[in-house]
Amino acid sequence: KTGKAAVIATLTNKYDTGFLKIKKNVTINGVPAVQSDSKAKTNGTYRFQIWKGGYKAEKIQRALVEIDFADGVAQSARYEWTDERGGAEGTTPVWKTDDITVANGVVTLKGLEPGTYTIHEIENKLPTGMKLVNGNGQGGNDQQVTVTAGETASIQTAEFTNDYEELGGFELKKSIITKSPIAAQNMPFNFTIT
């Protein structure tokens, strides 16, 4: 009998993934919220959808991302791969925080397959009073970024700006100087404010 040693082969599959970033700016009357006494008006959760490929083109790696703001600054973020629950409307999201970070107001999502992604801010879910001003200068709500495997030096960023339009106020006082205070009580006054 001749003994042959078993051959053991170890195979390692390596799949390089990449990153994308979302920068969320919140302003009050066009001024960064952090510079405003009313910055708390920008508090809330901002929601994004991400698709691999064009707008809703592919169902591969489709995600929902939520970014929480307090006093004009991104505080935390979470995501879910909606395909993991079938993407069905009305189902409870399975939120994850392991592959998403927030630093200096920028959210980074990692572990993405290389390719082109569309990022879409969900306007009808904005905090009360906020409106989408623009996205990356592309004039709309949908932005595309390219994810490159292993790229860490120049990760593409989708940038969105929302604005809270705060209207100014004023106080109006009218003084009457008269010798007949009773007549002045019933006298009508009209004001035109322009």
Side-chain angles (χ1 to χ4, degrees):
K1 275 183 154 176
T2 58
K4 290 188 177 180
V7 176
I8 299 174
T10 302
L11 301 174
T12 303
N13 292 328
K14 182 179 177 192
Y15 187 78
D16 286 332
T17 58
F19 306 80
L20 69 75
K21 292 182 179 183
I22 300 172
K23 183 174 183 188
K24 181 77 192 136
N25 303 306
V26 290
T27 60
I28 297 176
N29 295 334
V31 176
V34 294
Q35 299 174 8
S36 172
D37 292 337
S38 301
K39 59 188 159 210
K41 292 181 179 180
T42 64
N43 291 355
T45 301
Y46 297 80
R47 293 171 179 86
F48 297 85
Q49 292 174 314
I50 300 174
W51 287 271
K52 186 170 187 236
Y55 183 68
K56 298 185 183 182
E58 296 179 34
K59 297 197 183 238
I60 299 170
Q61 287 208 327
R62 185 173 52 165
L64 179 63
V65 175
E66 290 190 343
I67 306 171
D68 298 316
F69 267 74
D71 294 332
V73 178
Q75 301 292 317
S76 62
R78 61 200 155 276
Y79 71 97
E80 72 145 348
W81 296 116
T82 54
D83 292 328
E84 290 179 7
R85 63 178 168 96
E89 291 296 322
T91 57
T92 303
V94 180
W95 295 113
K96 298 179 180 181
T97 57
D98 54 340
D99 286 334
I100 196 164
T101 58
V102 179
N104 300 319
V106 177
V107 174
T108 303
L109 187 60
K110 66 181 181 176
L112 300 173
E113 293 177 4
T116 300
Y117 287 79
T118 299
I119 298 94
H120 172 86
E121 184 166 14
I122 304 172
E123 289 184 86
N124 65 352
K125 299 288 185 178
L126 289 172
T128 303
M130 295 300 292
K131 65 178 180 175
L132 179 66
V133 175
N134 69 349
N136 234 14
Q138 296 176 9
N141 202 9
D142 298 332
Q143 296 181 45
Q144 290 192 335
V145 296
T146 300
V147 172
T148 304
E151 178 64 57
T152 57
S154 59
I155 301 168
Q156 289 196 354
T157 303
E159 186 170 350
F160 295 85
T161 301
N162 293 110
D163 188 63
Y164 182 92
E165 188 175 355
E166 186 174 53
L167 302 176
F170 65 93
E171 182 177 323
L172 179 65
K173 291 184 180 183
K174 174 69 177 163
S175 299
I176 301 172
I177 301 172
T178 180
K179 293 185 178 183
S180 177
I182 294 175
Q185 287 178 349
N186 296 323
M187 191 179 299
F189 295 95
N190 295 317
F191 298 94
T192 301
I193 301 171
T194 59

